[in-house]
Amino acid sequence: MAAERRILITAGPTYEPIDAVRFIGNRSSGRLGCALAAAARDAGWDVTLLLGPVAQDLPEGIAVHRFETSDELADLLDRHFPNCDMLIMAAAVADYRPPVVSERKTPRTAGSLTLKLEPVPDLVAQCAEQRRPGQRIVGFALEEPTQLASRAKEKLRRKGVDYIVANPLATMGAGSIQAVVFTADGREITPPNDATDKSAFSRWLIEFLSGE
Ligand code: C5P
């Protein structure tokens, strides 16, 4: 492996509160991020995992910090990103959230209810802006299969990351993954056919990144 040793991995969904009891979330299981953390540990990396509100078994031998909201994840990234050599941003961070959160439970009424949402800052793009030389960043793109490659390449540029793991929508919450990796220097890498279960894919991705 290269001289780098410290890897920061984010996993799972964010929950963006609406009121005292409700939130906006998504179906991310955190399974891929946990498998990546275990694979990186096994490959000799010093691993820190930032893990959202999921019920995954925690991989042993890994420092784990929990978050629920994108704000909490942003604080954890502020603390841990400067110390890592590589960031794998597998968390399914919300794109929108309610700007104002009621401290009470909003009562049901006969009428309809309109929620206002504001964009969540792009956390991986912020990390890319602040990075020091040598820090590498891997983002993810979950897209409709027909638009997977074009949207993934667009995200690679817009977010300023080094790699994008592009996978179709069916990956979310599933046991398997059919991904393609796009690199900032223009390569498109398809994992071997036997690397579709999330553990096998994770071992392949960590080996690929370690050898870059
Ligand atoms: O733009 P989109 O949500 O599809 O981008 C996915 C990638 O960007 C993932 O790596 C995800 O962790 C990251 N992301 C982020 N902050 C957001 C939304 C997504 O870091 N608010």
Side-chain angles (χ1 to χ4, degrees):
M1 127 149 73
E4 310 137 305
R5 302 294 306 170
R6 291 161 304 174
I7 193 165
L8 180 62
I9 299 175
T10 70
T14 61
Y15 285 178
E16 306 300 332
I18 297 171
D19 66 14
V21 298
R22 303 181 180 97
F23 60 83
I24 297 175
N26 62 66
R27 294 185 205 283
S28 168
S29 65
R31 205 185 308 187
L32 180 63
C34 287
L36 285 164
R41 174 204 59 202
D42 294 347
W45 290 82
D46 178 353
V47 185
T48 300
L49 174 65
L50 309 183
L51 183 61
V54 290
Q56 292 294 330
D57 291 338
L58 299 183
E60 283 176 23
I62 287 168
V64 181
H65 303 274
R66 305 303 298 256
F67 63 84
E68 279 207 353
T69 67
S70 53
D71 263 351
E72 289 168 356
L73 176 55
D75 286 346
L76 286 170
L77 284 167
D78 280 347
R79 256 175 45 213
H80 295 281
F81 177 65
N83 306 322
C84 76
D85 300 299
M86 177 137 62
L87 167 65
I88 302 187
M89 193 76 183
V93 187
D95 290 323
Y96 292 93
R97 66 184 170 198
V100 181
V101 179
S102 166
E103 286 175 10
R104 299 167 172 222
K105 182 183 174 201
T106 307
R108 178 190 175 97
T109 59
S112 61
L113 176 71
T114 303
L115 275 183
K116 184 173 177 196
L117 301 177
E118 67 174 8
V120 173
D122 193 324
L123 304 184
V124 76
Q126 288 183 344
C127 289
E129 270 173 26
Q130 293 161 14
R131 72 168 128 182
R132 53 181 165 73
Q135 277 187 306
R136 291 190 288 157
I137 303 181
V138 183
F140 279 71
L142 187 72
E143 299 289 348
E144 298 288 350
T146 51
Q147 293 160 324
L148 187 59
S150 58
R151 290 212 173 149
K153 286 186 202 164
E154 187 272 321
K155 276 179 198 178
L156 182 70
R157 281 190 298 276
R158 176 162 46 87
K159 292 172 188 275
V161 299
D162 302 293
Y163 308 91
I164 282 273
V165 179
N167 45 123
L169 285 186
T171 306
M172 188 169 261
S176 63
I177 176 167
Q178 291 211 314
V180 182
V181 178
F182 295 97
T183 72
D185 59 11
R187 287 170 292 153
E188 175 178 341
I189 297 136
T190 306
N193 288 339
D194 58 355
T196 52
D197 111 7
K198 284 187 176 174
S199 292
F201 173 78
S202 297
R203 286 193 294 275
W204 172 80
L205 183 66
I206 294 294
E207 193 184 318
F208 165 71
L209 293 169
S210 300
E212 281 278 284

